[in-house]
């Protein structure tokens, strides 16, 4: 799992994103681009933590894909697909990585009356 405050991260795309990721993100501008870059970065960190290599593996050497869900194909960092799931959180980007697709995640806040449903 990895979490980062929801903020713009200057220059991370130039050093941590694969050229294929940069090409996809090039079509975005402004806030949408900054948000997408942060999501890819957090997904990469979550995947690297799952493998146990962390940043000993250069994050620009593999691609995080997101057509119908976040994932990393087998190859550079693992021998099987890594699924990365975004956990909704206000003010943060949180990603959870695993080797299995996760069922629908339900996040509940402590002491929230809505949890009593």
């Amino acid at each position: 799992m990895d979490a980062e405050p929801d903020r713009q991260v200057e220059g991370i795309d130039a050093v941590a994103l694969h050229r294929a990721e940069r090409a996809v993100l090039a079509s975005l501008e402004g806030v949408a681009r900054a948000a997408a870059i942060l999501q890819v970065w957090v997904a990469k960190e979550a995947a690297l933590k799952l493998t146990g290599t962390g940043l000993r593996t250069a994050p620009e050497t593999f691609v995080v894909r997101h057509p119908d869900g976040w994932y990393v194909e087998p190859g550079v960092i693992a021998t099987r697909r890594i699924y990365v799931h975004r956990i909704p959180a206000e003010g943060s980007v949180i990603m959870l990585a695993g080797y299995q697709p996760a069922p629908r995640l339900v996040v509940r806040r402590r002491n929230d009356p809505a949890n009593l449903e």
Side-chain angles (χ1 to χ4, degrees):
M1 180 167 76
D2 190 58
E4 295 284 340
D6 195 358
R7 60 175 167 59
Q8 188 167 348
V9 181
E10 294 293 332
I12 196 78
D13 54 326
V15 296
L17 273 54
H18 188 277
R19 66 182 175 278
E21 294 162 333
R22 289 193 305 268
V24 169
L25 296 174
S27 65
L28 301 175
E29 295 180 6
V31 174
R33 179 176 164 73
I37 289 169
L38 181 61
Q39 289 177 32
V40 171
W41 170 241
V42 175
K44 283 179 171 258
E45 283 196 301
L48 288 170
K49 287 177 180 178
L50 175 70
T51 65
T53 66
L55 292 175
R56 290 187 309 267
T57 300
E60 73 276 8
T61 61
F62 67 97
V63 177
V64 173
R65 303 196 186 281
H66 180 45
D68 297 314
W70 296 90
Y71 64 92
V72 178
E73 287 292 356
V76 174
I77 65 170
T79 58
R80 54 190 173 155
R81 179 179 275 196
I82 295 174
Y83 297 88
V84 185
H85 310 281
R86 176 140 191 217
I87 298 173
E90 189 175 322
S92 297
V93 175
I94 302 173
M95 298 281 192
L96 176 66
Y99 291 112
Q100 298 291 324
R104 187 171 80 86
L105 297 173
V106 177
V107 177
R108 298 182 188 234
R109 300 186 195 293
R110 284 175 43 172
N111 302 320
D112 185 343
N115 291 339
L116 302 175
E117 302 173 357

